[in-house]
Amino acid sequence: MTPTNREHLATLSEIRSLMERSSRFISLSGLSGVAAGLWALVGAAAAFVYLGKVPFDGRYHTFVDVGQWGVPPVVFFAINASLVLVLALFSGIYFTTRKARRNGQPIWGQLTRRLLWSLAVPLAVGGLFSLAMIRMGMVLLVAPATLVFYGLALLNASKYTLHDIRYLGMTEMGLGLIAAFWPGYGLEFWAIGFGLAHIFYGTAMYMKYERKL
Amino acid sequence: MKRILTKLNKAFDHRVRLGIMSVLVVNDWVDFTFLKDTLELTDGRLASHIKALEKVKYLEVRKRFVGRKPNTSYRVTEKGRQAFQAHLDALEELLKQSK
C-alpha cells in the first residue's frame, strides 16, 4: 500500500469514528444493566416473600389484599419499587460515569441529554398510563404495560446509544405482550424482564465492549 | 487516476474540515462547544475552519440566546452533504483502484 493510500484509509476510519462518537452516547456500561437487574431480582424476591408465594404457583390474588408484617400492599409495593428504581439508577450512573471517565469521554453533553430525553418521554407516558390502569382496576395489566412501555423507551433510545439496547427493548416488549395474554404472572415476568434480561444483556455488552479495556 | 484525484474536494483539503463535516452530517444542529470538544480543537482553529466551510455554503449558522448565554450552532446544508458524500466516494474509489 502506498503512503497516500494509507493516509486515505486513515482519513476514512477517522471519519467513521467521528460520526459514531458524535451521534451516539457510547459510554453506557454493561455493568449498569447487570446492577439494575440484580436490584430488580432482590426487589422481586422481597415481593414473593411478602406475598408468601412461590414463582409460577399461579395463586396471584389470594394475598394481595391482606398485607404482611403490618404493612399494607400498596405501601409495600410503592416502597419496594421506588427502592429498586433508585438503587438501579444510582448504580447505573456510577458504572456509566466510570466507563466515560476511563475512556476520556464527556459524561454530560448534548448526547446524554438526547439519550435521556428519548428514554424519559415513553417512560413518563407509560408511568401515567399504568397509574390510570390501577385507578380503573386493571391491576393485572400493569406489569405487562410497564414492560411494553419500557421496551418502547429502549427501542427509541437505541438510536442514540449502543445499538444492542435495541434487542433488549424488543425482549422487554415481547415479554410484556406474553404477560398481557397470560395474566396472573405479572411479578414473574417483571423479574424476568427487569431482572434476568438486564443481567443477560448487560453481561453480553460488558463482554463485547469493555472487558478488553 | 488523475480523473478521480480531481474529484477530491479542495474545500476538504484539511483534516479539521473533514472532521467538522463528519460530525455535522450525522447530527441536526450542533453547537460550537460540542464540536470543539469532539474534535479537540482550540476556539480559534475551529472558528477559522468553520468560516471556510460557511463561505462555500456547506454549513449554515444559527445564533441565539439560551437563557442569557449566546449560543452558536451549525448545520450541514444540502450542498455540503452532497459534496461530503462525493468526497467520500472519491476516497473509496481511490482505495479500490490501488488494491
Side-chain angles (χ1 to χ4, degrees):
Chain A
M1 207 182 252
T2 62
T4 35
N5 274 329
R6 203 162 298 150
E7 236 168 75
H8 291 325
L9 207 58
T11 310
L12 281 174
S13 65
E14 195 182 351
I15 287 172
R16 179 176 308 186
S17 135
L18 270 174
M19 285 175 159
E20 186 77 15
R21 255 193 300 144
S22 66
S23 61
R24 289 172 189 273
F25 182 81
I26 52 172
S27 299
L28 189 68
S29 168
L31 294 179
S32 297
V34 175
L38 289 176
W39 290 123
L41 283 185
V42 171
F48 279 116
V49 172
Y50 176 82
L51 294 172
K53 136 180 179 53
V54 185
F56 288 106
D57 68 355
R59 297 178 299 124
Y60 196 73
H61 314 283
T62 33
F63 290 89
V64 169
D65 304 319
V66 183
Q68 188 95 268
W69 315 317
V71 189
V74 182
V75 177
F76 172 81
F77 281 106
I79 292 176
N80 187 347
S82 327
L83 268 180
V84 168
L85 183 69
V86 168
L87 289 170
L89 272 179
F90 269 100
S91 28
I93 292 169
Y94 170 75
F95 286 117
T96 292
T97 42
R98 194 179 72 158
K99 182 180 172 192
R101 206 173 299 130
R102 279 187 185 168
N103 297 349
Q105 279 148 354
I107 295 153
W108 187 250
Q110 205 170 327
L111 297 178
T112 325
R113 270 199 303 277
R114 202 160 57 179
L115 171 64
L116 291 180
W117 196 239
S118 65
L119 268 175
V121 172
L123 283 184
V125 172
L128 291 175
F129 195 81
S130 304
L131 285 182
M133 287 196 300
I134 292 173
R135 268 202 75 170
M136 302 300 162
M138 289 180 264
V139 181
L140 273 182
L141 283 176
V142 170
T146 50
L147 283 166
V148 167
F149 277 102
Y150 181 54
L152 288 169
L154 291 178
L155 186 68
N156 195 35
S158 68
K159 289 181 300 223
Y160 305 122
T161 185
L162 305 168
H163 19 248
D164 309 62
I165 291 299
R166 191 186 162 82
Y167 303 109
L168 176 60
M170 295 205 252
T171 307
E172 303 288 2
M173 285 190 285
L175 285 170
L177 286 176
I178 297 172
F181 286 102
W182 194 20
Y185 295 99
L187 198 51
E188 285 85 345
F189 277 98
W190 239 75
I192 297 171
F194 288 99
L196 298 183
H198 273 142
I199 295 173
F200 176 77
Y201 280 94
T203 311
M205 281 167 63
Y206 180 76
M207 299 296 215
K208 190 166 159 194
Y209 300 107
E210 292 160 69
R211 203 174 41 155
K212 49 188 174 283
L213 295 176
Chain B
M1 191 75 177
K2 248 200 185 117
R3 204 174 48 80
I4 298 166
L5 266 179
T6 54
K7 275 196 207 159
L8 287 177
N9 197 325
K10 274 267 157 57
F12 299 137
D13 255 357
H14 207 285
R15 277 179 59 244
V16 173
R17 293 184 200 165
L18 270 181
I20 295 170
M21 293 301 282
S22 312
V23 176
L24 291 186
V25 289
V26 288
N27 285 286
D28 199 15
W29 290 102
V30 173
D31 64 28
F32 189 86
T33 326
F34 181 78
L35 268 178
K36 200 180 83 173
D37 293 344
T38 311
L39 299 167
E40 292 166 353
L41 293 169
T42 59
D43 282 21
R45 243 160 78 78
L46 178 57
S48 75
H49 286 295
I50 284 177
K51 204 157 278 167
L53 288 170
E54 193 190 347
K55 214 176 205 171
V56 288
K57 298 208 162 58
Y58 284 177
L59 56 80
E60 50 182 317
V61 186
R62 179 183 70 184
K63 287 182 188 195
R64 58 172 191 179
F65 278 85
V66 176
R68 271 190 206 161
K69 278 192 203 152
N71 173 281
T72 312
S73 309
Y74 307 92
R75 182 164 71 174
V76 68
T77 59
E78 196 44 48
K79 189 184 171 197
R81 190 179 294 278
Q82 279 168 11
F84 183 69
Q85 190 56 54
H87 186 80
L88 287 190
D89 290 345
L91 274 179
E92 269 172 4
E93 195 61 31
L94 266 175
L95 281 169
K96 232 181 267 167
Q97 292 215 340
S98 60
K99 252 180 200 166

